[in-house]
Amino acid sequence: MSLVVALTGGSGFIGGQIARMLVAQGFNVRALSRTQSGLKKGMFWVRGSLEDTRSLAELVAGAGVVIHCAGAVRGRDAHGFRAVNVDGSRRVMEAARQSGTCERFLHMSSLAARYPELSWYSRSKFDAEQEVLRAAGTVSVAIFRPTAVYGPGDRELQPLFSWLLRGLLLRLGAGEAHLSFVHVFDLTAAVVQWVSSPEARPGTYELGDGTLGGYSWKGLASIAADIRQARVREIPVSLTLLKCIARANLALSYLLPRAPMLTTSKVNELTHHDWTCSNTAITAALGWVPQIKLRRALQDGLF
Ligand SMILES: NC(=O)c1ccc[n+]([C@@H]2O[C@H](COP(=O)([O-])OP(=O)(O)OC[C@H]3O[C@@H](n4cnc5c(N)ncnc54)[C@H](OP(=O)(O)O)[C@@H]3O)[C@@H](O)[C@H]2O)c1
């Protein structure tokens, strides 16, 4: 297999960690970027985008492995998510297949794809999986479905954990929800194990930190209370209030350059009751076992 690994999303939170880890392990990484080009940070950047098929062909030329980690995690409507996540993923797979050298393709999906009906994002992640599989031809496809990912460089969960350690937990939606998390170092280790595996390991794999049954809101509060040796105040945010904030956030976002994270569509995802996650399939396929539980990450400031 060629040692060239082509990567999309290398400028992002998860893709950036994957790129660093692959470079550290001696892989020859070629990464897509909308802003950079040339040799930087130990890898070669191809300037382009998911919309630009010429740059995608350049990205994957001669690569034996393609890791597609670019994606939209924020958006104003279903169309915006679909354009990046579904159409973009299909273009990356078509380029990979047409390269004639790609043997393995890793598609970074999300646990959200388990419930396409929940949100624009989850629908787009599910549809992207189907498109990638449809366009794959003889390329072996692994689909990773990580749950909520946190760690250095993350901006979405970081505030929740920081406030938790200051003694405040904003509880969204039903009190009895089961949440799950995975540290970006563990997710990245799984990607490197998949790349390094002598056998291609096609399949769809969920990835979490291995906590059986996930975390309840109360469980999160109790972990933080143990660490800070002081109580944590739980503040429930009702669904009605959350939806009001989401509507205001969407309206405000038209004045800002960045698409919003919190929308009424996202609220359905955030307040869903079952985000438990099973590592059984990926542990069987790769022997991957996550090393970092949330308690340790919070204790050691690994977020
Ligand atoms: N974070 C999580 O908790 C989580 C959980 C499960 C799955 N995921 C999935 O993991 C992937 C990465 O997420 P992340 O949290 O790392 O997001 P992120 O930090 O927002 O990174 C997204 C990456 O995608 C790139 N990108 C977006 N649209 C693009 C386009 N049209 N053309 C080229 N590149 C484009 C971005 O490039 P720019 O730097 O140029 O914007 C960036 O490198 C996504 O597919 C997401 O669905 C994330």
Side-chain angles (χ1 to χ4, degrees):
M1 191 194 313
S2 162
L3 283 181
V4 177
V5 177
L7 172 70
T8 69
S11 57
F13 161 50
I14 297 173
Q17 280 295 342
I18 293 174
R20 281 187 284 281
M21 183 88 99
L22 287 172
V23 168
Q25 302 271 325
F27 288 96
N28 184 354
V29 180
R30 197 185 297 143
L32 184 73
S33 168
R34 294 194 278 195
T35 54
Q36 312 191 58
S37 59
L39 199 58
K40 276 178 206 141
K41 301 181 195 160
M43 61 197 131
F44 189 84
W45 296 87
V46 171
R47 192 168 188 140
S49 72
L50 298 179
E51 292 72 35
D52 172 9
T53 49
R54 185 205 49 79
S55 66
L56 295 179
E58 188 186 340
L59 176 76
V60 301
V65 172
V66 174
I67 300 172
H68 173 44
C69 190
V73 294
R74 311 166 151 262
R76 293 191 173 90
D77 52 31
H79 174 77
F81 279 109
R82 187 170 179 88
V84 178
N85 292 344
V86 184
D87 300 339
S89 298
R90 187 188 59 251
R91 283 189 211 104
V92 179
M93 174 50 99
E94 281 170 352
R97 197 193 63 231
Q98 285 161 12
S99 74
T101 55
C102 176
E103 293 173 15
R104 296 184 194 180
F105 189 102
L106 176 55
H107 176 70
M108 191 61 74
S109 183
S110 162
L111 191 62
R114 197 166 74 187
Y115 304 110
E117 69 286 0
L118 280 185
S119 67
W120 302 323
Y121 173 71
S122 66
R123 164 57 62 191
S124 73
K125 295 303 282 185
F126 175 80
D127 288 351
E129 293 180 354
Q130 304 304 307
E131 286 287 295
V132 161
L133 290 170
R134 238 193 313 270
T138 57
V139 177
S140 173
V141 182
I143 293 172
F144 276 16
R145 284 181 169 181
T147 182
V149 186
Y150 70 100
D154 158 55
R155 286 185 294 186
E156 311 303 341
L157 286 170
Q158 201 274 343
L160 170 75
F161 295 150
S162 289
W163 278 110
L164 199 51
L165 292 179
R166 287 189 208 129
L168 201 65
L169 173 65
L170 290 182
R171 198 185 73 209
L172 313 179
E176 69 279 6
H178 296 270
L179 313 166
S180 57
F181 305 95
V182 66
H183 197 280
V184 72
F185 293 168
D186 275 330
L187 172 58
T188 307
V191 171
V192 174
Q193 271 181 251
W194 174 84
V195 174
S196 312
S197 163
E199 305 272 312
R201 299 287 182 191
T204 298
Y205 304 109
E206 295 184 1
L207 297 94
D209 81 355
T211 300
L212 282 180
Y215 297 89
S216 63
W217 291 106
K218 284 227 168 323
L220 288 185
S222 130
I223 290 172
D226 276 358
I227 294 172
R228 34 183 268 120
Q229 292 292 298
R231 77 183 267 263
V232 170
R233 265 183 63 196
E234 267 186 69
I235 303 187
V237 183
S238 74
L239 197 56
T240 315
L241 177 59
L242 205 53
K243 285 195 170 165
C244 283
I245 298 170
R247 268 186 221 107
N249 194 45
L250 178 61
L252 199 66
S253 80
Y254 288 100
L255 303 173
L256 304 168
R258 227 150 89 102
M261 175 58 85
L262 187 66
T263 59
T264 48
S265 169
K266 193 73 182 176
V267 167
N268 288 338
E269 222 185 285
L270 291 176
T271 56
H272 184 65
H273 64 279
D274 177 19
W275 287 116
T276 52
C277 181
S278 165
N279 293 329
T280 308
I282 189 152
T283 301
L286 295 177
W288 174 80
V289 178
Q291 302 297 311
I292 306 174
K293 291 269 203 283
L294 187 61
R295 176 183 288 272
R296 187 187 134 204
L298 293 181
Q299 223 153 21
D300 297 353
L302 284 175
F303 64 95

